[in-house]
Amino acid sequence: MIIVLKPGVAQESVDEILGLIASKDLKPLHMPGAERVVLGALGDERVLAELSLEGHPDVESVKPILQPYKLVSREIHPHDTVVKIGNVAVGGKEFCVVAGPCAVETPEQVRASADAVKAGGAHAIRAGAYKPRSSPYSFQGHGPDGLRLLAEVGREMGLPIVTEVMDVADVELVAEEADCLQIGARNMQNFGLLKAVGRTRRPILLKRGMAAKVEDLLLAAEYILAEGNEQVILCERGIRTFETATRNTLDLNAIPYIKQKTHLPVMVDPSHGTGVRDLVIPMALAAAACGADGILVEVHENPAKAWSDGAQSLYPEQFEQLMTRLKPVVKAVGRTLGPASAA
Amino acid sequence: MIIVLKPGVAQESVDEILGLIASKDLKPLHMPGAERVVLGALGDERVLAELSLEGHPDVESVKPILQPYKLVSREIHPHDTVVKIGNVAVGGKEFCVVAGPCAVETPEQVRASADAVKAGGAHAIRAGAYKPRSSPYSFQGHGPDGLRLLAEVGREMGLPIVTEVMDVADVELVAEEADCLQIGARNMQNFGLLKAVGRTRRPILLKRGMAAKVEDLLLAAEYILAEGNEQVILCERGIRTFETATRNTLDLNAIPYIKQKTHLPVMVDPSHGTGVRDLVIPMALAAAACGADGILVEVHENPAKAWSDGAQSLYPEQFEQLMTRLKPVVKAVGRTLGPASAA
Amino acid sequence: MIIVLKPGVAQESVDEILGLIASKDLKPLHMPGAERVVLGALGDERVLAELSLEGHPDVESVKPILQPYKLVSREIHPHDTVVKIGNVAVGGKEFCVVAGPCAVETPEQVRASADAVKAGGAHAIRAGAYKPRSSPYSFQGHGPDGLRLLAEVGREMGLPIVTEVMDVADVELVAEEADCLQIGARNMQNFGLLKAVGRTRRPILLKRGMAAKVEDLLLAAEYILAEGNEQVILCERGIRTFETATRNTLDLNAIPYIKQKTHLPVMVDPSHGTGVRDLVIPMALAAAACGADGILVEVHENPAKAWSDGAQSLYPEQFEQLMTRLKPVVKAVGRTLGPASAA
Amino acid sequence: MIIVLKPGVAQESVDEILGLIASKDLKPLHMPGAERVVLGALGDERVLAELSLEGHPDVESVKPILQPYKLVSREIHPHDTVVKIGNVAVGGKEFCVVAGPCAVETPEQVRASADAVKAGGAHAIRAGAYKPRSSPYSFQGHGPDGLRLLAEVGREMGLPIVTEVMDVADVELVAEEADCLQIGARNMQNFGLLKAVGRTRRPILLKRGMAAKVEDLLLAAEYILAEGNEQVILCERGIRTFETATRNTLDLNAIPYIKQKTHLPVMVDPSHGTGVRDLVIPMALAAAACGADGILVEVHENPAKAWSDGAQSLYPEQFEQLMTRLKPVVKAVGRTLGPASAA
């Protein structure tokens, strides 16, 4: 329920109502605004009805929350949330570009790739130290050593780092080293992991699962917010369909739909969303045009030698071309694509 | 097979080789270029091998056509085809906007909708006189009367018309009245209909089926070209997936993929591709950004009263807003969005 | 609307009410039962409301038809419809097996395949003279000659024939020669064709489209029944999903669902439903177990040399094995699998 | 690689070759058979090639493992694996029925449901103490208390228990209390969890993910076997498609396909596979007919009051009816459905 208070209600009255909500074992929310205070109550709405808050002298109106998700909904939080990855703002006027190789392979490869994305104008670097792989015989990532290497390179370059965490046991370490924790598509409904990252105070990049409806994605984000972490960025990365020309079907419909339903920022991953290098640039432009807050793109110093995802990784010169072509499109939709430092 | 002739080969030698191909019951293709002539031979490649054209003194090389589609392939036709709908060019530098109501309902509605799309800057008008409807109890269109009304309004307004044909028996009449014949998604593999429109000399707008892979779409176009009609525009209009937030999942990956594989122009229908009015503008912008040659968009003078597809039709003022927002995006990708007359 | 009359109502009262319905341009239905007469009225229910039939002295009750399909619905036709293909009943106690090659290739091949399916115990033979093929360069069928050959062999063998019709122009000829007209998956929403076969008095085998929801299939059948042909057999043949191990995903959930919603019989095509020869027998058994009224299965005298669909066609000895293994499963679910003559 | 030794090779030669494989950092497998010994080597096949084992005097042949999965493949393990859940064998001649409520709700509900499934003839009981729920506001299960309650009831009734584990941290406790650990569809690619259950010595029931290809499922099982636990049962429980009449689309094609590719047993969950109570019995029969080794079915003492999945849970009398109807189908395919004690 959303409880809109009358203008100018005293703090003690606010506290009283929050207390009433809590007394019924509902979760109270306090959302003070410029003109008036809005309260929320999460839980069994029949229980709340017993309080008859509509009749309370300081309450203007009581409205149900129509969506199954609550904290992520624009209904109770109408303004855009801006998430900070290091010093990079995601969800504001600036369009955000996070780029880097699929995996941390070697110190040379990480440095060369970081050089390339920095030179191209990326705002942050991505690379995986923990790799979810369909086969147990594929390269599984370097783990903690890879993580520390990535963090070190990020610091040297002044690039915030985004990296995946796959296991609850690793959350603490990754939260220490990384500026933003990625939850991969396969773990979108790994609820224990969602709760664990919800208890950190790091931004979370939450990727949509391959068979997840947008509503499922928003509910997965709700798990994180419900633990107290409101720094969540959603990410569309392609869904599974019958089409085999591309690795996945990038569902850009989801971008304007998500922006309507939630205040959280949303990014697009055109690399996994297509699986085909030549399609990455046009789909990055499309993502910017339909309102995404940024992109996550795979760039490798030498994709032909990449240990994973080579077929969808951009060459450094292609990344430069992407940034050059992205700038006018971003501007055409009223946003900016500045240098990393200004992001 | 693609047979590349040596530079400066005499016409009689060209004719001789074409005759050899035809003598084996293969379909010969003549593709003269600026510097040299390229020939094609469609049919059983083992039969062609018997001719041993590699050994012919005027032949430079013989290459297999790797794709299952031939005439639509960029392999044998590397340059973009530009299709003319009336005086409107599709597939060139100009981005093309075809707009109008789902169906021809009444003279007043067609005129008012035509006024709206003309005022907004559309290059051509679309509306259905023959309507494919899932239920036999839904409005099935006004048929020939609707068609003639639409044609009349188009002429009055100076707007070329695009309208659907569903049955072989109607092809002749529709080809007489309309500037471009649309094949709907449900008929993409109605091969008799494809052949019939292939025998007209009108441009064809071929929509992708709901479960069609891009390769199926290209093969469907091949049916039309194989009958001698090369004026084909492809159209992405959303595919069926598990996502229920939108009516279909608009597969924009298909746009750059199609542009790679074929020389034919490709448009996007963000109205059917989303099924949700509020998502139409952002997805139209995305279509322009990723390289589509134009859009097909539903606009109704009063969507709340539309006899079909009201939920996805734009209000006239929204169409104006679409055109205003489209212009800078089109420009950002190096194309133009001019007034109807200049198209 | 369903209008249930009181017991013992006189025929003239029935006629009067049917006349009232028709006077409002609604389609009247007359469904006399053992105890009482039930009438139907199809069309705009608001118009019907003006008649206020609830108040008529001979009317017991007026109920809305809840489903979007009417004539195919069990709501207005609770008992199973039995369709006769020649002398073979589909939809009764007997489980029906229709078998044969994908296409009519040569007289020898048709005869040898017919021998094989007859020997194995099939009740009817299937083969295509008109072939819908994704590519215009694939074998398109022998057309009328193939049709006549198939009909001749069917008569010689005493096997009713089931064959596809793709074009409205061919309906008359196919209806003359064949015992049952098949509408293929690609034409499930070719509404002109549905109407044309609805005007014949031949049984129709209607295959589910690759992206058709069961509701779409039932509405497609409604088109046929609305033209006066109630002899419709539905056929599940696999839908398109992300799974690539099989050609399609056979949706057997649809069988018991369809049996609940409609009185029409339903068959299963495990050949197209899997696309893999080794999966055909187990899926045929599954189809029988979950309540299908029969199967449609591809059998070729020599699949390795089949001009189409060889990979999913059974060898004659596999078809015998199928029939042997099918018999106890059919019996286990309370039905019978008799010799062709007894079918 | 699969290395087939010559008949009668001495143990020391076997050990020598296993040592050679290990010396190259490949994983050696020892598969002694009745007539001859087969060895396996998992890892980079180029490295293995350096050993030139084809030339070794005791080696008969060296064959590549064609599938991306190895230990689960029938190529290196041709005979069916039989997994024991308590005293219940899965994968042998006996068809196995695991039944019970979606969740452990109350002691009374667990006891009543256990009574019902025991009376009906189930071989084991299933219920969830840890519940993966799309929304954080849905009932999340009673956790350890629920687990212990279920275990207690199972022991009282003599029914082995199958229950889900969602987090690595809970694996030890669940492995202590439960006879079989279920990995749910959402966790099919939670690789840390797969490895953790792979280190237990309990049987694992691995459910297919909603967007997982069968190959992905087999690779997920490979993760468990690669840790040393070969007691894995696969489970088809429906995939996500465009069809909305049912909660999921049960992919029974997968059953015979899986039986071809792997030696592991496979079960079917018709409750989640349909989401509709009335479809559960027919799909259970279909599962048995196409070769599944058993079913997992939701039964609740009072589905109308179930805290979750009520719409797909059978009433006790429906479960009895299921077992009655299942028996002849199981027999028709050459298997048995005995009393729990004989399983």
Side-chain angles (χ1 to χ4, degrees), chain B residues 42 68-71 132-137 140 166-168 186-187 189-193 195 210-213 216 219-220 222-223 226 240, chain C residues 42 68-71 132-137 140 166-168 186-187 189-193 195 210-213 216 219-220 222-223 226 240:
Chain B
L42 301 184
Y69 37 88
K70 314 293 177 192
L71 300 168
R133 303 301 300 274
S134 296
S135 167
Y137 310 121
Q140 308 267 318
M166 290 168 57
D167 281 303
V168 171
R186 290 173 179 85
N187 280 316
Q189 292 191 317
N190 180 340
F191 300 115
L193 186 60
K195 288 176 187 171
M210 281 186 287
K213 298 185 184 197
D216 298 325
L219 283 167
E222 186 83 11
Y223 267 94
R240 273 216 168 153
Chain C
L42 300 184
Y69 37 88
K70 314 294 177 192
L71 299 168
R133 303 302 299 275
S134 296
S135 166
Y137 309 122
Q140 308 267 317
M166 290 168 58
D167 281 304
V168 171
R186 291 172 179 84
N187 280 316
Q189 292 190 317
N190 180 339
F191 300 116
L193 186 60
K195 288 176 187 170
M210 280 186 288
K213 298 187 183 195
D216 297 325
L219 284 166
E222 187 83 11
Y223 266 94
R240 272 218 168 151

XYZ file of all heavy atoms in Angstrom, chain B residues 42 68-71 132-137 140 166-168 186-187 189-193 195 210-213 216 219-220 222-223 226 240, chain C residues 42 68-71 132-137 140 166-168 186-187 189-193 195 210-213 216 219-220 222-223 226 240:
556
model
N 21.073 -20.968 -61.716
C 20.358 -21.512 -60.565
C 19.813 -22.883 -60.899
O 19.241 -23.091 -61.959
C 19.201 -20.599 -60.180
C 19.574 -19.164 -59.817
C 18.339 -18.408 -59.371
C 20.635 -19.148 -58.725
N 21.373 -20.568 -49.142
C 20.258 -21.278 -49.780
C 19.418 -20.337 -50.653
O 18.748 -20.784 -51.563
C 19.441 -21.814 -48.591
C 19.878 -21.025 -47.405
C 21.277 -20.567 -47.678
N 19.477 -19.040 -50.359
C 18.787 -18.062 -51.205
C 19.810 -17.539 -52.197
O 21.008 -17.491 -51.897
C 18.195 -16.918 -50.371
C 19.045 -16.501 -49.222
C 20.045 -15.535 -49.356
C 18.885 -17.101 -47.960
C 20.851 -15.172 -48.285
C 19.693 -16.753 -46.906
C 20.676 -15.791 -47.063
O 21.474 -15.451 -46.019
N 19.351 -17.195 -53.371
C 20.272 -16.835 -54.448
C 20.042 -15.392 -54.897
O 20.883 -14.520 -54.719
C 20.056 -17.771 -55.648
C 19.964 -19.242 -55.289
C 21.252 -19.785 -54.769
C 21.107 -21.250 -54.350
N 22.245 -21.718 -53.594
N 18.869 -15.146 -55.517
C 18.611 -13.837 -56.115
C 18.581 -12.731 -55.067
O 18.873 -11.582 -55.373
C 17.272 -13.865 -56.865
C 17.212 -14.882 -58.001
C 15.776 -15.036 -58.486
C 18.113 -14.437 -59.142
N -6.580 -9.865 -42.195
C -6.458 -11.216 -41.636
C -6.759 -11.158 -40.141
O -6.073 -10.455 -39.398
C -4.986 -11.561 -41.883
C -4.284 -10.235 -41.916
C -5.283 -9.203 -42.341
N -7.786 -11.837 -39.697
C -8.155 -11.773 -38.283
C -8.222 -13.179 -37.697
O -8.809 -14.077 -38.309
C -9.529 -11.091 -38.124
C -9.596 -9.683 -38.733
C -8.567 -8.729 -38.125
N -8.734 -8.558 -36.704
C -9.567 -7.671 -36.165
N -10.282 -6.870 -36.929
N -9.658 -7.562 -34.852
N -7.664 -13.350 -36.516
C -7.634 -14.677 -35.892
C -9.040 -15.259 -35.768
O -9.226 -16.466 -35.898
C -6.996 -14.603 -34.500
O -5.651 -14.224 -34.603
N -10.022 -14.426 -35.513
C -11.395 -14.912 -35.337
C -12.257 -14.570 -36.550
O -12.201 -13.460 -37.068
C -12.018 -14.271 -34.101
O -13.418 -14.494 -34.085
N -13.091 -15.528 -36.980
C -13.990 -15.231 -38.098
C -15.062 -14.218 -37.719
O -15.762 -13.710 -38.601
C -14.608 -16.600 -38.419
C -14.475 -17.406 -37.180
C -13.231 -16.920 -36.502
N -15.198 -13.929 -36.429
C -16.237 -12.989 -36.002
C -15.701 -11.572 -35.845
O -16.426 -10.668 -35.463
C -16.881 -13.487 -34.705
C -17.308 -14.933 -34.826
C -16.817 -15.907 -33.972
C -18.163 -15.332 -35.858
C -17.180 -17.244 -34.123
C -18.526 -16.662 -36.013
C -18.029 -17.613 -35.149
O -18.383 -18.922 -35.316
N -13.598 -8.084 -40.865
C -12.721 -8.685 -41.865
C -12.300 -7.695 -42.966
O -11.664 -8.095 -43.949
C -13.429 -9.885 -42.519
C -13.997 -10.908 -41.541
C -13.048 -12.047 -41.233
O -12.391 -12.556 -42.123
N -12.944 -12.421 -39.974
N -4.388 -10.729 -49.428
C -4.392 -12.002 -48.720
C -4.675 -13.196 -49.620
O -4.403 -14.329 -49.235
C -5.472 -11.990 -47.640
C -5.187 -11.071 -46.477
S -6.674 -10.867 -45.456
C -7.049 -12.554 -45.011
N -5.288 -12.940 -50.772
C -5.710 -14.058 -51.612
C -5.229 -13.862 -53.042
O -5.245 -12.747 -53.567
C -7.239 -14.171 -51.595
C -7.745 -14.853 -50.340
O -7.306 -15.996 -50.089
O -8.539 -14.232 -49.608
N -4.847 -14.962 -53.668
C -4.398 -14.925 -55.056
C -5.455 -14.250 -55.941
O -5.142 -13.448 -56.827
C -4.099 -16.358 -55.555
C -3.840 -16.379 -57.053
C -2.895 -16.935 -54.804
N 1.159 -13.675 -41.466
C 0.534 -15.005 -41.509
C 0.665 -15.641 -42.894
O 0.485 -16.834 -43.055
C -0.948 -14.888 -41.157
C -1.190 -14.546 -39.699
C -2.672 -14.284 -39.518
N -3.005 -13.962 -38.133
C -2.924 -12.741 -37.616
N -2.477 -11.737 -38.346
N -3.271 -12.526 -36.362
N 0.907 -14.824 -43.927
C 1.010 -15.347 -45.288
C 2.444 -15.407 -45.799
O 2.663 -15.627 -46.987
C 0.160 -14.491 -46.233
C -1.312 -14.865 -46.166
O -1.652 -16.045 -46.150
N -2.184 -13.872 -46.112
N 4.596 -17.579 -45.732
C 4.899 -18.827 -46.440
C 3.678 -19.367 -47.178
O 3.536 -20.572 -47.369
C 5.496 -19.862 -45.476
C 6.890 -19.430 -45.000
C 7.622 -20.527 -44.269
O 7.057 -21.234 -43.455
N 8.905 -20.698 -44.560
N 2.815 -18.477 -47.624
C 1.718 -18.825 -48.532
C 2.330 -18.719 -49.936
O 2.303 -17.673 -50.584
C 0.577 -17.814 -48.338
C -0.607 -18.087 -49.235
O -0.484 -18.777 -50.253
N -1.749 -17.530 -48.877
N 2.904 -19.844 -50.362
C 3.787 -19.779 -51.537
C 3.037 -19.432 -52.815
O 3.573 -18.784 -53.702
C 4.573 -21.083 -51.659
C 5.436 -21.360 -50.451
C 5.205 -22.449 -49.627
C 6.473 -20.494 -50.120
C 5.991 -22.685 -48.505
C 7.267 -20.720 -49.001
C 7.018 -21.826 -48.190
N 1.773 -19.856 -52.909
C 0.980 -19.497 -54.090
C 0.814 -17.984 -54.184
O 0.925 -17.389 -55.271
N 0.579 -17.364 -53.059
C 0.431 -15.909 -53.023
C 1.758 -15.219 -53.356
O 1.795 -14.223 -54.094
C -0.077 -15.484 -51.638
C -0.425 -14.008 -51.438
C -1.537 -13.560 -52.398
C -0.858 -13.748 -49.986
N 4.105 -16.361 -55.233
C 4.322 -16.482 -56.683
C 3.423 -15.494 -57.435
O 3.857 -14.869 -58.417
C 4.041 -17.919 -57.143
C 5.116 -18.916 -56.684
C 4.714 -20.360 -57.083
C 5.680 -21.379 -56.487
N 5.206 -22.764 -56.669
N 5.579 -14.837 -37.756
C 5.770 -14.801 -36.307
C 6.764 -15.835 -35.803
O 7.343 -15.671 -34.746
C 4.432 -15.001 -35.602
C 3.613 -13.735 -35.588
S 2.103 -13.918 -34.621
C 1.143 -14.962 -35.731
N 6.930 -16.916 -36.552
C 7.888 -17.950 -36.145
C 8.934 -18.169 -37.228
O 9.568 -19.209 -37.281
C 7.172 -19.264 -35.863
N 9.116 -17.160 -38.083
C 10.051 -17.322 -39.198
C 11.457 -16.902 -38.803
O 11.655 -15.811 -38.271
C 9.592 -16.496 -40.392
N 12.423 -17.754 -39.072
C 13.810 -17.347 -38.957
C 14.102 -16.352 -40.085
O 13.399 -16.339 -41.100
C 14.731 -18.561 -39.102
C 14.511 -19.581 -38.008
C 15.537 -20.719 -38.113
C 15.188 -21.756 -37.056
N 16.301 -22.676 -36.787
N 14.247 -17.980 -43.335
C 12.943 -18.280 -43.943
C 12.394 -17.052 -44.671
O 11.768 -17.170 -45.730
C 11.919 -18.690 -42.873
C 12.303 -19.956 -42.130
O 12.884 -20.856 -42.754
O 12.019 -20.043 -40.924
N 14.192 -16.635 -47.924
C 13.734 -17.641 -48.893
C 12.337 -17.298 -49.416
O 12.009 -17.559 -50.580
C 13.751 -19.031 -48.260
C 15.147 -19.655 -48.149
C 15.120 -20.870 -47.228
C 15.663 -20.052 -49.532
N 11.503 -16.715 -48.563
C 10.171 -16.296 -49.023
C 10.320 -15.188 -50.065
O 9.638 -15.180 -51.100
C 9.332 -15.829 -47.838
N 12.831 -14.847 -51.961
C 13.381 -15.513 -53.144
C 12.260 -16.017 -54.064
O 12.387 -15.969 -55.296
C 14.275 -16.678 -52.691
C 15.025 -17.370 -53.805
C 16.320 -16.670 -54.206
O 16.759 -15.743 -53.489
O 16.886 -17.035 -55.266
N 11.162 -16.493 -53.473
C 10.006 -16.918 -54.277
C 9.503 -15.783 -55.166
O 9.121 -15.998 -56.316
C 8.843 -17.371 -53.374
C 8.797 -18.861 -53.077
C 9.385 -19.381 -51.941
C 8.144 -19.739 -53.939
C 9.333 -20.741 -51.653
C 8.080 -21.103 -53.663
C 8.683 -21.604 -52.526
O 8.634 -22.942 -52.264
N 12.165 -14.916 -57.818
C 12.283 -15.995 -58.815
C 11.193 -15.897 -59.877
O 11.334 -16.447 -60.970
C 12.237 -17.362 -58.118
N 7.260 -14.260 -32.101
C 6.607 -14.786 -30.903
C 7.628 -15.386 -29.968
O 8.377 -16.269 -30.358
C 5.569 -15.857 -31.276
C 4.239 -15.260 -31.581
C 3.098 -16.138 -31.101
N 1.862 -15.373 -31.174
C 0.664 -15.902 -31.330
N 0.519 -17.208 -31.417
N -0.410 -15.132 -31.365
N -24.644 -16.194 -32.912
C -23.262 -15.712 -33.022
C -23.248 -14.300 -33.595
O -23.947 -14.012 -34.564
C -22.465 -16.625 -33.940
C -22.370 -18.082 -33.514
C -21.458 -18.848 -34.459
C -21.859 -18.200 -32.088
N -13.578 -17.422 -27.159
C -13.641 -16.648 -28.407
C -14.088 -17.515 -29.581
O -14.604 -17.002 -30.560
C -12.206 -16.137 -28.592
C -11.349 -16.995 -27.730
C -12.216 -17.490 -26.617
N -13.893 -18.827 -29.485
C -14.398 -19.726 -30.520
C -15.761 -20.213 -30.059
O -16.024 -20.311 -28.859
C -13.444 -20.906 -30.748
C -12.785 -21.409 -29.496
C -13.379 -22.382 -28.700
C -11.568 -20.876 -29.073
C -12.786 -22.831 -27.533
C -10.975 -21.317 -27.907
C -11.592 -22.290 -27.139
O -11.009 -22.715 -25.970
N -16.609 -20.496 -31.009
C -17.999 -20.813 -30.668
C -18.365 -22.224 -31.127
O -18.588 -23.123 -30.337
C -18.944 -19.807 -31.337
C -18.527 -18.354 -31.196
C -18.580 -17.877 -29.769
C -18.080 -16.436 -29.658
N -17.847 -16.039 -28.285
N -18.409 -22.402 -32.471
C -18.877 -23.667 -33.027
C -17.964 -24.826 -32.652
O -18.403 -25.971 -32.589
C -18.964 -23.560 -34.562
C -19.933 -22.490 -35.071
C -19.730 -22.267 -36.565
C -21.360 -22.894 -34.771
N 4.544 -27.563 -49.764
C 5.037 -26.253 -49.340
C 6.505 -26.372 -48.955
O 6.841 -27.132 -48.056
C 4.175 -25.945 -48.115
C 3.782 -27.279 -47.566
C 3.817 -28.260 -48.708
N 7.385 -25.696 -49.643
C 8.822 -25.812 -49.358
C 9.406 -24.434 -49.099
O 9.127 -23.493 -49.854
C 9.544 -26.449 -50.551
C 8.983 -27.839 -50.938
C 9.051 -28.843 -49.796
N 10.399 -29.092 -49.355
C 11.221 -29.982 -49.915
N 10.806 -30.704 -50.920
N 12.432 -30.146 -49.444
N 10.250 -24.338 -48.073
C 10.840 -23.045 -47.716
C 11.578 -22.415 -48.891
O 11.576 -21.200 -49.049
C 11.809 -23.211 -46.537
O 11.105 -23.636 -45.392
N 12.208 -23.233 -49.716
C 12.982 -22.710 -50.840
C 12.267 -22.961 -52.167
O 11.749 -24.051 -52.400
C 14.357 -23.390 -50.878
O 14.975 -23.137 -52.128
N 12.271 -21.951 -53.048
C 11.655 -22.167 -54.363
C 12.433 -23.169 -55.203
O 11.937 -23.610 -56.236
C 11.684 -20.777 -54.999
C 12.764 -20.032 -54.291
C 12.816 -20.596 -52.902
N 13.641 -23.524 -54.789
C 14.465 -24.439 -55.570
C 14.324 -25.887 -55.094
O 14.950 -26.780 -55.636
C 15.929 -23.988 -55.545
C 16.060 -22.529 -55.907
C 16.646 -21.620 -55.048
C 15.530 -22.051 -57.119
C 16.724 -20.278 -55.375
C 15.600 -20.701 -57.438
C 16.199 -19.820 -56.565
O 16.259 -18.494 -56.884
N 8.759 -29.194 -55.576
C 7.487 -28.563 -55.196
C 6.285 -29.509 -55.358
O 5.142 -29.081 -55.203
C 7.263 -27.313 -56.055
C 8.433 -26.325 -56.062
C 8.312 -25.231 -55.021
O 7.248 -24.678 -54.835
N 9.401 -24.941 -54.318
N -2.886 -26.398 -50.902
C -2.205 -25.153 -50.529
C -2.862 -23.912 -51.115
O -2.607 -22.812 -50.651
C -0.770 -25.189 -51.034
C 0.119 -26.171 -50.302
S 1.682 -26.394 -51.215
C 2.307 -24.718 -51.262
N -3.638 -24.090 -52.190
C -4.171 -22.920 -52.874
C -5.673 -23.057 -53.076
O -6.164 -24.151 -53.371
C -3.479 -22.765 -54.240
C -2.106 -22.139 -54.098
O -2.021 -21.036 -53.535
O -1.118 -22.775 -54.529
N -6.363 -21.944 -52.959
C -7.807 -21.929 -53.160
C -8.152 -22.522 -54.526
O -9.112 -23.287 -54.664
C -8.343 -20.486 -53.028
C -9.808 -20.405 -53.462
C -8.176 -19.990 -51.595
N 1.928 -24.042 -42.297
C 2.194 -22.697 -42.814
C 0.925 -21.989 -43.269
O 0.914 -20.783 -43.440
C 3.159 -22.783 -43.994
C 4.564 -23.188 -43.607
C 5.381 -23.431 -44.852
N 6.752 -23.808 -44.568
C 7.140 -25.056 -44.297
N 6.245 -26.019 -44.258
N 8.413 -25.321 -44.078
N -0.125 -22.759 -43.541
C -1.383 -22.172 -44.012
C -2.462 -22.137 -42.944
O -3.615 -21.864 -43.258
C -1.890 -22.963 -45.230
C -1.173 -22.546 -46.508
O -0.981 -21.365 -46.764
N -0.768 -23.515 -47.309
N -3.279 -20.029 -40.876
C -4.014 -18.762 -40.846
C -4.127 -18.152 -42.247
O -4.197 -16.924 -42.391
C -3.394 -17.800 -39.838
C -3.592 -18.302 -38.395
C -3.219 -17.270 -37.354
O -2.194 -16.585 -37.476
N -4.037 -17.124 -36.330
N -4.182 -19.006 -43.267
C -4.505 -18.576 -44.628
C -6.030 -18.611 -44.705
O -6.641 -19.617 -45.066
C -3.859 -19.552 -45.612
C -4.137 -19.193 -47.054
O -5.094 -18.482 -47.345
N -3.315 -19.712 -47.955
N -6.632 -17.486 -44.323
C -8.071 -17.501 -44.046
C -8.908 -17.762 -45.293
O -9.966 -18.369 -45.220
C -8.479 -16.221 -43.328
C -7.769 -16.041 -42.007
C -6.899 -14.983 -41.794
C -7.947 -16.960 -40.979
C -6.229 -14.826 -40.585
C -7.280 -16.819 -39.765
C -6.420 -15.749 -39.563
N -8.419 -17.313 -46.451
C -9.140 -17.582 -47.694
C -9.203 -19.077 -47.959
O -10.246 -19.625 -48.356
N -8.101 -19.756 -47.701
C -8.056 -21.204 -47.886
C -8.959 -21.915 -46.880
O -9.670 -22.869 -47.220
C -6.600 -21.681 -47.761
C -6.309 -23.152 -48.064
C -6.704 -23.511 -49.496
C -4.830 -23.468 -47.834
N -11.643 -20.736 -45.543
C -13.033 -20.553 -45.973
C -13.348 -21.472 -47.161
O -14.438 -22.051 -47.230
C -13.275 -19.090 -46.351
C -13.311 -18.150 -45.140
C -13.453 -16.686 -45.608
C -13.331 -15.721 -44.434
N -13.227 -14.317 -44.876
N 3.354 -23.205 -36.655
C 4.573 -23.325 -35.854
C 4.622 -22.346 -34.684
O 5.318 -22.582 -33.706
C 5.795 -23.114 -36.742
C 6.136 -24.359 -37.529
S 7.670 -24.167 -38.451
C 7.130 -23.040 -39.740
N 3.902 -21.227 -34.807
C 3.876 -20.253 -33.717
C 2.455 -20.022 -33.233
O 2.145 -18.995 -32.647
C 4.484 -18.932 -34.170
N 1.579 -20.979 -33.499
C 0.170 -20.787 -33.141
C -0.116 -21.277 -31.728
O 0.242 -22.398 -31.370
C -0.720 -21.547 -34.125
N -0.755 -20.438 -30.940
C -1.276 -20.892 -29.662
C -2.441 -21.836 -29.954
O -3.058 -21.771 -31.025
C -1.772 -19.701 -28.841
C -0.652 -18.716 -28.511
C -1.141 -17.634 -27.563
C 0.006 -16.641 -27.340
N -0.225 -15.764 -26.201
N -5.368 -20.051 -31.156
C -5.328 -19.680 -32.583
C -5.778 -20.853 -33.456
O -6.455 -20.662 -34.470
C -3.897 -19.306 -33.004
C -3.366 -18.088 -32.273
O -4.152 -17.177 -31.989
O -2.148 -18.053 -31.992
N -9.488 -21.163 -33.283
C -10.124 -20.098 -34.066
C -9.985 -20.367 -35.563
O -10.894 -20.043 -36.343
C -9.524 -18.733 -33.708
C -10.014 -18.163 -32.376
C -9.139 -17.006 -31.925
C -11.479 -17.718 -32.480
N -8.888 -20.965 -35.973
C -8.732 -21.328 -37.388
C -9.770 -22.379 -37.771
O -10.390 -22.305 -38.836
C -7.312 -21.833 -37.646
N -12.572 -22.691 -36.354
C -13.859 -21.981 -36.342
C -14.179 -21.407 -37.722
O -15.342 -21.385 -38.148
C -13.812 -20.865 -35.290
C -15.135 -20.157 -35.062
C -16.076 -20.887 -34.106
O -15.656 -21.846 -33.435
O -17.266 -20.489 -34.045
N -13.142 -20.928 -38.426
C -13.355 -20.421 -39.797
C -13.976 -21.500 -40.683
O -14.833 -21.222 -41.516
C -12.018 -19.987 -40.416
C -11.685 -18.516 -40.259
C -10.913 -18.068 -39.202
C -12.140 -17.571 -41.186
C -10.595 -16.725 -39.059
C -11.820 -16.217 -41.058
C -11.058 -15.799 -39.991
O -10.750 -14.465 -39.852
N -17.533 -22.300 -39.512
C -18.444 -21.183 -39.787
C -18.921 -21.189 -41.233
O -19.944 -20.580 -41.563
C -17.761 -19.848 -39.452
N 7.664 -24.119 -32.697
C 9.047 -23.631 -32.735
C 9.456 -23.110 -31.372
O 8.811 -22.237 -30.815
C 9.188 -22.506 -33.766
C 9.486 -23.057 -35.135
C 10.468 -22.173 -35.897
N 10.924 -22.899 -37.076
C 11.301 -22.322 -38.206
N 11.310 -21.002 -38.305
N 11.714 -23.038 -39.213
